[in-house]
Amino acid sequence: MNIICHKQTLICFMVLVILEYSGIALFANVQLGNAAQDSAVITIKVEKNQSIRDISEKYLGNPDLWEDVLLANDLNRSEADKVHPGMMLHIPVRAISLAHSELKNSKILIGQATRNGAKLFAPDIIAKAIDLRDAALEKRTAGEWARCTKLAKASAAEAKKALNISIENQDVQAEAMVEYQQGNVQRRKPSDNLWKDVSRRDILMEGEKVRTLSASYAEILFRDDSRLQLKENAQALIRKMRENPLEDTQQTKVNLIEGDVFALLSGGKKDSRFNLDIEGIAMNIESRQFRVGRGKKETRIANYDKGKLEIEAKGKKVVLKENQGSVVPHNQEPSAPKELLPSPGLLKPADGDERFDLRTALTWEKVNGAESYLLELSYNASFSEIIWEEMIRCTAEGSVSHIKGMFPGHLGAGTFYWRVSAVSPDKLPGRPSKARFFRIIKDDTPPFLVILTPEDGAVFSETTLEISGNVEDGAAVTIQNQPADVTHGGKYRFRYELSEGENSIIVKAADRAGNISELKRTVTFVSGSKINLTFDASLHQIAHNHFLARHPGWFMLAGKTYPHALVTVRNSDRPDTIRPKSENVRKNPLIHNFSTTAQADAQGRFQMNLRITGQKEEFVIEVSSATGEVLKDRFTVETDTEAPVIHLTDEIPSATIKKKLSISGTVQGAVSLELETGNLKLGTGNWKLETGNLKLETRNWKLETRNLKLETRNSELETRNSELETRNSELETRNSELRHQVSSFKFQVSISKGINLLRFVARDRVGNVSLLEKTVLSDTEAPEFILWGALPRKVRGGEKVRLRVRARDAAGLVRTAPFTVTIGEYTHSGYMMRSSSPSLRDRGDVGEYIAWFRVPEKIKGKVKLKSITLSDYLGNTEEYHF
């Protein structure tokens, strides 16, 4: 081991002491031992039982710098165990010391700048300081201590710059905002000659005046969330408004010139102050809620908060506690504190009440000693948006215990909060009552009303009939002008005694707003055991006794008649029955002479299978009761195999950035349409596409049928049969038109991220189905950067560089991408063009951009991609920085 001369040792020691006193952090207790120094690098021999941390502490004064010792000897972190006794190590003491010192200095300055708000006042500069320090740490890790020292010094310089800027911005002018205004509100800056109208969200600055005119109101919101409400005919001057953004504190001073104001202070930061100046009156405000009114002769001050309110005029000081007030005549002493009147108790309407009359009365309890009452209405419970104020004189005397005001009907329907303050004879308003809210509802829609039983036109053999249905919740129901019981949920029932023959039943529903709905049912009571025949509602009936079948072959007929009756069905012998023109069919007597029989059960239900050989066939049905009565009728069965047709008005896009798509179109010959999106089914029910005309025709048919039965019993069956056949023919023609009628649909569907499958399913009345499927890609994410490359990667000046960037996006990359590259201090910006490289054609969503540019002469260094902006055809964009 070489011996270090005493002179060199002394010089090194003095340098370390000087650096320590200059404020640069050095490694104390550096022991140089007996090693020799060569260009600030010492060489040592590892001693027995000496670890790498021991060496770092002995020669660098810090055991945590052991990695730097390893780096100086071409060893990495994982090779610490290779240091063994007798091994020779080289330690660049000066380089490591300076690098560590500058890193520590930059860290201190960055911390100071950050604590002083650099991220708020100088975000770009402090970010640069942090980036430079991060780069210095990388150089230190690579063992490039000189480069590390240089970068750390640059970082400290930027941090110092950010610190200075932050300190300069500690005290700046603040802003206030017109949070709410109603009526005529105006402002005037010191440089303005005329008043200008104020709009909601306008910004107010120091030195501005604000005033409200008659029937006007404004609320000013300050940066610390304090609020100043200006009543009508009030004027105030914002004299001072300063803030410290870092400490989030504000100093505000407002001069009340005239009128009434209500202050709601935030009371947030302790250092924040709000001062209200009034001519001739000094105020020390600790209260967070108070009201001040300055009139022509006096100023009235009322404190509603636990924080005290100190006022001084003409040398006399008065302290107002909670719920105390004082009157200060102009140029006179303030009155002694006076107890404010208590809050009135609100009576009607109750909290949350609903009213349907704009002429609603508002009532509250009388307060002893009150001369008048201040009624206030607002759209919110905080009363930050007061929409109506009215001073109501107290005229109640004697035994009258409540006061009444009227809701201003011009405000219309809506939800309103209201409160009342009692005002003493000296015009001091007490604390407002606890707010209540009520709703004024404009309801001119008749209530919902449904009759479930009986059906219109039904025939009964029992004298007592039960009428039931559903009604809008809260509505009253009368049947035949008699009140019916309505249960919770809107269900009603009523027992009614029928008269012989036709009975008209009228059901009425009246809601709280006085709107009335009325429905009528006509039923018939027939005594005795006359036969009745009805077909099952599950059959697809398109007209009277005209049914649809989905497939040719067999058709299941079901219905209800007299209990235990014998039901027989056979082919009609009418010549207009349509049959297949097949020779085999014509020669088959089983088809031409088809007949089947079934017995009704105890409830009168029956069912049987009928053979259908043609597109449209007519049958005769005969019902015989045990008493010998017989009922004959005819019905038709028609085969329908045509599926509905779905047509979209606008083509559904294959890709979109939207979260919802509007879809519209038409469907022909369908009664329902469903949309399925992946595993999500939209709507538990179907969109009903049946037309109102068809329902009207069916209802008319029921009426005709019931009338027919009555006429039959009056011996006019043949005449009515002829009329009914004519009517059926008209209905069948109308039904044929309806079966081909086009119905429209329009709705919105939510689109999920990725591939969405939209499946439209249309069904007709017999179950024929049409299917239409569409796929939509939802892409709301910007393209993904994959990699980049440059050829050549390192230039010496004058070369032509080829830059390549690869990216990925499901919706497709746009053709150009702006980029910026750097070569040392040199910067170049331009646009890259998307390549149509054959190697990427099978990669789907992956694309490649290419750009060529020439490097100026004398520009040397590595080519680095600094930034690139990637966009797709849906407009998703992201700028990548490196």
Side-chain angles (χ1 to χ4, degrees):
M1 178 183 297
N2 297 326
I3 305 301
I4 303 175
C5 68
H6 294 290
K7 184 177 181 179
Q8 291 173 325
T9 303
L10 181 59
I11 292 173
C12 183
F13 177 76
M14 292 178 65
V15 169
L16 294 176
V17 172
I18 293 171
L19 291 175
E20 177 68 25
Y21 275 89
S22 65
I24 303 176
L26 297 177
F27 304 99
N29 301 322
V30 175
Q31 301 179 20
L32 299 179
N34 295 321
Q37 181 180 8
D38 183 12
S39 300
V41 177
I42 64 172
T43 302
I44 65 139
K45 182 177 182 180
V46 180
E47 300 175 359
K48 187 177 181 180
N49 296 326
Q50 188 178 35
S51 68
I52 187 65
R53 290 180 60 85
D54 295 335
I55 295 172
S56 176
E57 183 176 18
K58 181 177 181 180
Y59 295 100
L60 296 176
N62 190 339
D64 293 331
L65 298 179
W66 57 273
E67 289 186 75
D68 295 82
V69 178
L70 292 176
L71 288 172
N73 292 272
D74 297 327
L75 296 174
N76 57 41
R77 182 186 184 94
S78 62
E79 295 177 315
D81 58 345
K82 292 185 178 181
V83 178
H84 54 84
M87 181 179 183
M88 305 300 293
L89 295 177
H90 304 285
I91 306 176
V93 176
R94 177 186 293 274
I96 295 176
S97 300
L98 288 175
H100 182 73
S101 174
E102 291 297 340
L103 283 171
K104 187 172 183 180
N105 187 40
S106 65
K107 180 180 180 181
I108 293 173
L109 288 172
I110 289 173
Q112 291 176 347
T114 302
R115 287 191 297 274
N116 280 274
K119 290 186 177 181
L120 176 65
F121 303 118
D124 294 337
I125 299 175
I126 195 64
K128 183 177 180 181
I130 294 172
D131 291 341
L132 287 170
R133 190 173 189 278
D134 290 342
L137 290 171
E138 291 180 4
K139 295 302 180 182
R140 174 191 171 187
T141 303
E144 300 179 21
W145 291 284
R147 183 61 175 162
C148 170
T149 301
K150 183 177 180 181
L151 290 171
K153 285 183 176 180
S155 172
E158 293 296 325
K160 184 66 174 177
K161 189 188 304 182
L163 175 61
N164 293 334
I165 294 175
S166 300
I167 293 174
E168 292 173 358
N169 283 273
Q170 294 297 308
D171 184 27
V172 296
Q173 180 175 315
E175 298 176 347
M177 181 177 66
V178 180
E179 177 75 358
Y180 176 77
Q181 62 89 214
Q182 179 173 294
N184 243 335
V185 182
Q186 297 177 337
R187 66 191 293 182
R188 190 172 76 179
K189 298 179 181 180
S191 58
D192 293 338
N193 294 322
L194 299 175
W195 290 90
K196 298 180 181 179
D197 291 337
V198 167
S199 299
R200 193 170 183 177
R201 306 299 181 188
D202 277 358
I203 301 300
L204 303 174
M205 307 298 291
E206 278 185 349
E208 285 199 69
K209 288 183 178 179
V210 182
R211 72 177 182 182
T212 58
L213 303 183
S214 297
S216 302
Y217 171 85
E219 179 168 292
I220 301 173
L221 175 65
F222 296 91
R223 288 291 295 272
D224 64 348
D225 287 334
S226 293
R227 299 171 182 270
L228 191 65
Q229 299 177 354
L230 274 68
K231 309 299 181 178
E232 67 174 346
N233 297 318
Q235 184 178 159
L237 167 65
I238 302 176
R239 187 176 298 279
K240 178 182 179 181
M241 201 161 42
R242 311 296 292 180
E243 69 173 337
N244 186 327
L246 181 63
E247 299 295 333
D248 193 21
T249 59
Q250 181 167 329
Q251 301 293 326
T252 305
K253 182 179 290 187
V254 177
N255 184 11
L256 177 60
I257 300 173
E258 63 178 344
D260 287 5
V261 296
F262 186 75
L264 291 166
L265 308 186
S266 66
K269 295 290 183 178
K270 188 174 181 180
D271 293 335
S272 295
R273 295 291 297 172
F274 185 95
N275 293 315
L276 185 65
D277 285 350
I278 305 172
E279 184 180 356
I281 302 175
M283 299 182 65
N284 183 16
I285 301 173
E286 295 182 10
S287 170
R288 294 174 58 186
Q289 188 178 86
F290 59 91
R291 185 189 292 264
V292 178
R294 182 167 178 79
K296 295 181 179 180
K297 298 181 179 180
E298 60 189 13
T299 298
R300 302 172 304 279
I301 304 173
N303 180 27
Y304 307 119
D305 188 57
K306 292 181 180 179
K308 65 182 181 180
L309 191 63
E310 185 180 280
I311 59 177
E312 183 178 356
K314 284 294 181 178
K316 182 180 178 180
K317 185 180 296 184
V318 171
V319 177
L320 301 181
K321 298 180 181 179
E322 184 178 12
N323 292 328
Q324 288 186 340
S326 176
V327 178
V328 186
H330 293 346
N331 298 318
Q332 296 183 37
E333 296 178 350
S335 68
K338 302 180 179 183
E339 295 297 325
L340 302 177
L341 294 177
S343 303
L346 304 185
L347 298 177
K348 293 181 180 181
D351 199 23
D353 200 4
E354 293 182 347
R355 298 295 179 96
F356 299 89
D357 188 2
L358 292 177
R359 294 185 55 81
T360 294
L362 308 175
T363 60
W364 57 90
E365 295 176 348
K366 177 183 176 182
V367 176
N368 292 331
E371 180 188 69
S372 58
Y373 298 88
L374 177 62
L375 171 63
E376 297 175 293
L377 279 82
S378 174
Y379 285 134
N380 54 51
S382 65
F383 280 76
S384 61
E385 299 181 5
I386 295 180
I387 56 176
W388 176 259
E389 283 187 349
E390 182 180 7
M391 191 67 73
I392 299 175
R393 299 282 297 179
C394 182
T395 57
E397 298 178 356
S399 60
V400 177
S401 61
H402 66 274
I403 310 297
K404 182 175 71 173
M406 295 301 296
F407 172 76
H410 69 274
L411 295 180
T415 299
F416 303 93
Y417 290 83
W418 67 294
R419 67 184 185 186
V420 179
S421 303
V423 182
S424 62
D426 49 15
K427 304 299 185 295
L428 285 174
R431 179 188 291 274
S433 65
K434 185 178 180 181
R436 284 186 180 180
F437 79 95
F438 61 93
R439 294 185 180 90
I440 298 293
I441 300 175
K442 183 181 180 182
D443 183 4
D444 54 6
T445 303
F448 167 79
L449 177 64
V450 171
I451 299 177
L452 298 178
T453 60
E455 292 184 359
D456 193 37
V459 179
F460 296 93
S461 59
E462 296 180 357
T463 59
T464 302
L465 171 67
E466 182 178 80
I467 304 169
S468 66
N470 295 328
V471 70
E472 181 179 298
D473 197 19
V477 176
T478 59
I479 300 176
Q480 304 297 75
N481 295 323
Q482 297 295 319
D485 293 332
V486 182
T487 63
H488 181 70
K491 294 183 179 180
Y492 66 87
R493 293 181 182 274
F494 187 82
R495 304 293 294 182
Y496 180 68
E497 293 293 326
L498 295 173
S499 302
E500 184 72 26
E502 186 175 278
N503 294 259
S504 292
I505 302 172
I506 298 176
V507 180
K508 294 182 180 180
D511 63 16
R512 291 179 294 173
N515 302 301
I516 296 176
S517 294
E518 180 177 317
L519 295 177
K520 181 179 179 181
R521 290 288 185 269
T522 301
V523 298
T524 302
F525 170 61
V526 179
S527 59
S529 58
K530 293 182 174 61
I531 297 176
N532 186 26
L533 173 63
T534 58
F535 293 106
D536 198 287
S538 63
L539 300 177
H540 302 294
Q541 188 170 202
I542 61 174
H544 172 56
N545 288 10
H546 191 158
F547 307 102
L548 285 181
R550 182 178 180 184
H551 302 292
W554 293 96
F555 173 73
M556 179 174 285
L557 180 70
K560 187 176 181 180
T561 184
Y562 196 79
H564 306 294
L566 184 65
V567 182
T568 302
V569 176
R570 67 176 183 273
N571 291 111
S572 173
D573 54 359
R574 286 192 174 187
D576 57 348
T577 301
I578 301 175
R579 299 183 182 280
K581 297 180 180 180
S582 167
E583 188 67 25
N584 294 332
V585 173
R586 286 198 298 269
K587 292 181 178 180
N588 190 343
L590 295 177
I591 297 178
H592 285 282
N593 302 317
F594 173 80
S595 178
T596 185
T597 302
Q599 183 81 35
D601 61 16
Q603 285 74 40
R605 301 185 182 279
F606 68 90
Q607 64 179 27
M608 57 183 65
N609 286 328
L610 309 180
R611 177 181 286 277
I612 308 299
T613 59
Q615 180 183 354
K616 182 178 181 182
E617 291 207 37
E618 187 171 346
F619 296 88
V620 175
I621 184 169
E622 183 177 295
V623 182
S624 302
S625 69
T627 59
E629 296 174 311
V630 178
L631 172 66
K632 291 185 179 181
D633 205 349
R634 293 175 181 270
F635 64 89
T636 303
V637 179
E638 183 177 351
T639 303
D640 181 8
T641 59
E642 295 182 8
V645 178
I646 304 172
H647 173 71
L648 299 178
T649 303
D650 297 315
E651 188 64 26
I652 298 176
S654 59
T656 183
I657 195 174
K658 298 179 179 179
K659 294 183 178 180
K660 289 187 177 181
L661 288 180
S662 294
I663 300 176
S664 61
T666 59
V667 59
Q668 177 180 337
V671 295
S672 70
L673 177 66
E674 294 179 354
L675 171 61
E676 300 175 358
T677 58
N679 295 325
L680 177 63
K681 190 171 183 179
L682 295 182
T684 56
N686 301 331
W687 293 288
K688 294 299 181 181
L689 302 176
E690 295 180 347
T691 64
N693 290 334
L694 178 57
K695 293 179 180 179
L696 179 61
E697 297 289 356
T698 304
R699 181 172 179 176
N700 289 339
W701 167 78
K702 288 182 179 179
L703 181 60
E704 294 285 352
T705 303
R706 303 307 178 192
N707 289 338
L708 171 61
K709 291 180 180 179
L710 294 176
E711 295 293 341
T712 301
R713 291 179 175 83
N714 293 327
S715 303
E716 298 179 1
L717 177 60
E718 292 184 359
T719 303
R720 294 301 295 162
N721 274 342
S722 176
E723 295 176 358
L724 181 60
E725 289 176 1
T726 303
R727 184 60 175 163
N728 285 343
S729 176
E730 295 174 356
L731 289 176
E732 289 180 3
T733 302
R734 178 60 178 160
N735 180 71
S736 176
E737 296 174 356
L738 292 175
R739 286 170 59 188
H740 295 88
Q741 183 168 331
V742 176
S743 300
S744 61
F745 59 87
K746 184 176 182 181
F747 52 89
Q748 283 191 333
V749 59
S750 297
I751 300 299
S752 304
K753 180 180 178 182
I755 301 296
N756 294 260
L757 174 63
L758 305 181
R759 179 183 291 112
F760 298 84
V761 182
R763 292 181 173 86
D764 65 11
R765 69 191 67 212
V766 296
N768 296 309
V769 178
S770 290
L771 181 65
L772 177 63
E773 293 185 344
K774 297 288 185 179
T775 57
V776 179
L777 169 65
S778 175
D779 182 13
T780 59
E781 295 183 355
E784 175 189 357
F785 175 87
I786 300 177
L787 56 83
W788 74 279
L791 190 67
R793 188 63 178 270
K794 190 172 184 180
V795 299
R796 298 181 178 276
E799 295 98 329
K800 187 175 183 181
V801 177
R802 178 177 182 265
L803 184 67
R804 180 172 59 92
V805 171
R806 185 168 294 180
R808 178 187 292 111
D809 190 271
L813 298 164
V814 299
R815 293 191 58 83
T816 62
F819 73 98
T820 300
V821 296
T822 59
I823 305 173
E825 299 296 327
Y826 172 74
T827 301
H828 174 78
S829 298
Y831 286 85
M832 304 187 73
M833 300 296 294
R834 198 184 69 219
S835 171
S836 56
S837 173
S839 62
L840 297 177
R841 289 175 181 172
D842 296 331
R843 298 293 298 276
D845 55 355
V846 177
E848 189 174 84
Y849 289 93
I850 295 177
W852 293 87
F853 66 97
R854 185 172 296 280
V855 179
E857 297 293 338
K858 297 183 181 180
I859 297 300
K860 299 180 181 181
K862 290 183 179 180
V863 179
K864 294 183 179 180
L865 179 62
K866 183 178 181 182
S867 67
I868 185 169
T869 302
L870 299 175
S871 305
D872 63 17
Y873 282 103
L874 294 179
N876 299 307
T877 301
E878 182 165 346
E879 184 175 0
Y880 290 88
H881 295 270
F882 307 90

